[in-house]
Amino acid sequence: MVMSTRTRGPAPSQADLQKRREEIHKRHQDALSKVEELVKTQDALGKALDSELSVFKQHEQTLHELEATQADDSMLASLMRRFTARRVILGRKSVAEGLLKQYELASLRLRQATAFSDELRLTALELQEQVDALHQQRVQSAGNQRLCAEGVLQIEEELEGLEGGEGNYTEGERARRVDQLTFELRNESLNMELFRVAEQLAVDSLNPSRALRDTVLELHEGMAGYVMNASGAVDNAGRRIQALGMAADAPMVVAELQESLSALGTAMEVTQTYVEQTQALLTEVLPDLSKRVKLEVEGRNLLLTDSVDKLTREKAKAQADRNLRVQAEAEVEKWMEEDEG
């Protein structure tokens, strides 16, 4: 049997694995706390935005009532219009002032939302780096595990040859070489098991890491999409509001403003949906994530499956064969998935 020419990395100790496990758990706890904070901030910001846009609707109703008096074509309304015209113009100016103030408040809130959206994006990128690091640890550990398995089988092959009388050795030299290889076999088998545990640790940590990343990414996608839609509607209304303030008696300006304010209704609907989705994250997703992160401490036991004194040659060879078979099956499955894709 020809052993791989690749050089494997040093095997982690059990202390190393326990430290790695604790570090991963702490990162998950820190990320969970950060996600909880982000979700609560997003919830508060979404509700504030909904409240800000609702005020536009109130001003829109006032403007609608003013215009309704002008649209009345009865004889009495026509006679009274010359006396009410000034009141309507003043009313429009009052609405314009209220709308302008509200536009400034909504614009400020949207700037806060934009900054928060950027924060969500950066957090998602940081969490993705953690996910990628776990993937890398998994691949490295699996590769080192395979090299150990190949080494175990090579040592076992040489041992079988020595025990069968192969080689030009004196009795003492043969005994010494057998003893040396037996030690190497047990040591490499232990290394193989340590790499197996390291790989499993990375695998077990991937799901909660991905869930945290995806939660933040979902928050970012929702906030970014909302900000783009709402900003366009608010900015468009803002231009009409300023025009109303300068030409409060122009019917066309009033009509365009009413149209813009109506468009804000769509943004309000999006905001309400957005707030509902954030509430779902608070009441359903986060508690589940929190539970999964807490269970990590009580989860997989990182102790080796067998202590060194119980590791026989037969068991070491069986483990090596099994590890190589499992990895070969995983590679075949991966190739099949790529072909289907």
Side-chain angles (χ1 to χ4, degrees):
M1 177 178 180
V2 179
M3 189 173 180
S4 172
T5 57
R6 290 180 296 168
T7 303
R8 68 166 175 79
S13 66
Q14 282 207 260
D16 292 334
L17 291 172
Q18 186 61 34
K19 181 180 179 182
R20 188 181 302 177
R21 181 189 188 190
E22 292 169 356
E23 288 174 348
I24 290 173
H25 179 66
K26 185 178 185 305
R27 284 201 299 271
H28 284 172
Q29 284 184 314
D30 292 344
L32 180 61
S33 297
K34 178 69 171 177
V35 170
E36 289 175 342
E37 177 186 338
L38 291 171
V39 171
K40 290 176 182 177
T41 301
Q42 182 136 334
D43 182 54
L45 191 54
K47 289 177 178 176
L49 283 165
D50 187 42
S51 176
E52 299 291 355
L53 295 181
S54 294
V55 178
F56 278 106
K57 297 297 291 182
Q58 297 171 14
H59 288 298
E60 180 187 6
Q61 181 61 32
T62 302
L63 185 61
H64 177 74
E65 292 170 358
L66 281 171
E67 297 310 306
T69 63
Q70 293 296 93
D72 189 349
D73 58 358
S74 66
M75 184 176 295
L76 179 59
S78 299
L79 291 173
M80 294 297 295
R81 191 165 291 132
R82 70 179 65 180
F83 301 104
T84 60
R86 179 174 173 77
R87 181 174 64 82
V88 171
I89 292 174
L90 290 175
R92 287 173 179 168
K93 286 184 176 180
S94 177
V95 169
E97 290 172 359
L99 283 169
L100 184 60
K101 181 178 179 180
Q102 194 57 36
Y103 165 72
E104 292 172 350
L105 290 173
S107 296
L108 175 61
R109 192 76 66 184
L110 284 169
R111 286 196 294 273
Q112 294 172 344
T114 299
F116 182 67
S117 178
D118 290 341
E119 182 182 358
L120 288 170
R121 178 176 177 275
L122 290 174
T123 303
L125 289 172
E126 290 171 0
L127 291 172
Q128 171 56 25
E129 287 180 0
Q130 294 182 19
V131 170
D132 192 57
L134 287 171
H135 277 297
Q136 185 175 5
Q137 290 172 15
R138 176 186 182 181
V139 171
Q140 288 177 343
S141 297
N144 287 327
Q145 185 183 343
R146 167 176 282 188
L147 292 176
C148 286
E150 292 172 351
V152 165
L153 294 179
Q154 185 185 45
I155 294 170
E156 177 61 31
E157 183 179 332
E158 186 174 350
L159 272 171
E160 289 176 354
L162 285 170
E163 292 168 349
E166 294 179 2
N168 186 21
Y169 292 99
T170 65
E171 184 178 347
E173 289 172 340
R174 187 179 300 277
R176 178 185 178 186
R177 182 59 178 162
V178 167
D179 189 57
Q180 181 185 33
L181 288 174
T182 301
F183 170 80
E184 291 178 3
L185 178 69
R186 295 175 67 183
N187 188 59
E188 197 67 359
S189 299
L190 178 60
N191 290 337
M192 179 176 63
E193 181 69 0
L194 287 165
F195 282 125
R196 183 196 65 77
V197 175
E199 180 191 7
Q200 191 61 53
L201 175 60
V203 170
D204 291 345
S205 303
L206 271 170
N207 279 340
S209 295
R210 276 193 293 249
L212 288 164
R213 176 205 61 191
D214 291 346
T215 300
V216 176
L217 190 59
E218 183 179 344
L219 290 172
H220 171 59
E221 288 170 345
M223 179 61 84
Y226 168 72
V227 167
M228 286 188 288
N229 291 329
S231 295
V234 170
D235 288 344
N236 187 42
R239 290 191 292 271
R240 307 302 188 209
I241 291 166
Q242 292 169 344
L244 180 65
M246 293 183 291
D249 59 343
M252 181 61 71
V253 172
V254 174
E256 290 176 347
L257 176 58
Q258 286 179 311
E259 182 180 348
S260 296
L261 292 175
S262 296
L264 279 171
T266 302
M268 286 180 61
E269 292 173 4
V270 172
T271 309
Q272 290 164 356
T273 302
Y274 184 64
V275 169
E276 290 171 3
Q277 291 172 342
T278 307
Q279 281 294 318
L281 287 173
L282 279 168
T283 58
E284 299 172 17
V285 177
L286 281 181
D288 179 63
L289 276 175
S290 180
K291 182 179 179 181
R292 288 163 67 180
V293 170
K294 287 178 182 177
L295 284 175
E296 283 183 333
V297 181
E298 306 167 6
R300 178 172 297 275
N301 189 348
L302 292 182
L303 294 176
L304 302 179
T305 54
D306 289 293
S307 57
V308 177
D309 58 339
K310 294 182 180 179
L311 193 61
T312 63
R313 280 177 56 184
E314 292 77 11
K315 190 171 292 186
K317 185 175 183 300
Q319 287 179 355
D321 284 330
R322 184 175 62 253
N323 287 337
L324 289 175
R325 185 177 65 255
V326 168
Q327 292 199 33
E329 290 172 352
E331 287 184 1
V332 170
E333 184 177 347
K334 180 180 178 182
W335 290 336
M336 291 178 65
E337 289 176 353
E338 289 175 351
D339 289 341
E340 291 175 359

